[in-house]
Amino acid sequence: QVALVEAGGGSVQAGGSLRLSCAAYGYIGSRLCMGWFRQAPGKEREGVVGIGSDGSTYYADSVKGRFTISQDNAKNTLYLQMNSLKPEDTAMYYCAAVDPPCSLAGHGEGYNYWGQGTQVTVSS
């Protein structure tokens, strides 16, 4: 059983930056696949970035060059550096994890560990 806790959301102006964190708690016997997903009101949840148990990464086209995922394995913490934020980035951001194997792209199907979410609001 793994619990995920996100932090770092907030409200920023377009072009600003935020750094989200996701700390994993509980017994973790092996490295998990982890990722960030987001969902805006009335829209389907979408994958933003993901990192596999082998270190491979996935970035949605909409965030490439602006968002960067990283990990501190010793602390079981995942980070999402979000730069050059746009109003269309506004959404609830969720950290998720699953035991490998996993699909890094998609909408989070199969991910069984989810955080409560942190709101990101970008104004123009």
Side-chain angles (χ1 to χ4, degrees), residues 34-57:
M34 300 188 72
W36 290 94
F37 300 82
R38 67 187 182 187
Q39 187 168 24
K43 298 185 68 176
E44 188 177 29
R45 183 177 63 203
E46 63 176 340
V48 181
V49 296
I51 184 165
S53 60
D54 62 352
S56 60
T57 58

Side-chain angles (χ1 to χ4, degrees), residues 9 14 20 24 29 36-37 41 60 113 120:
L20 308 183
W36 290 94
F37 300 82
Y113 304 121
V120 171

Side-chain angles (χ1 to χ4, degrees), residues 24-114:
Y25 300 91
Y27 180 76
I28 304 175
S30 61
R31 189 173 180 180
L32 300 168
C33 298
M34 300 188 72
W36 290 94
F37 300 82
R38 67 187 182 187
Q39 187 168 24
K43 298 185 68 176
E44 188 177 29
R45 183 177 63 203
E46 63 176 340
V48 181
V49 296
I51 184 165
S53 60
D54 62 352
S56 60
T57 58
Y58 163 82
Y59 290 84
D61 288 341
S62 61
V63 305
K64 287 180 179 177
R66 301 189 298 118
F67 291 9
T68 304
I69 192 170
S70 62
Q71 289 181 315
D72 184 336
N73 290 326
K75 297 181 178 180
N76 291 320
T77 300
L78 182 72
Y79 300 95
L80 180 63
Q81 180 65 47
M82 308 165 66
N83 297 326
S84 301
L85 284 162
K86 304 175 180 179
E88 50 263 45
D89 295 318
T90 296
M92 184 72 75
Y93 283 70
Y94 298 92
C95 176
V98 68
D99 294 319
C102 65
S103 175
L104 299 181
H107 305 286
E109 296 87 350
Y111 283 73
N112 58 336
Y113 304 121
W114 291 86

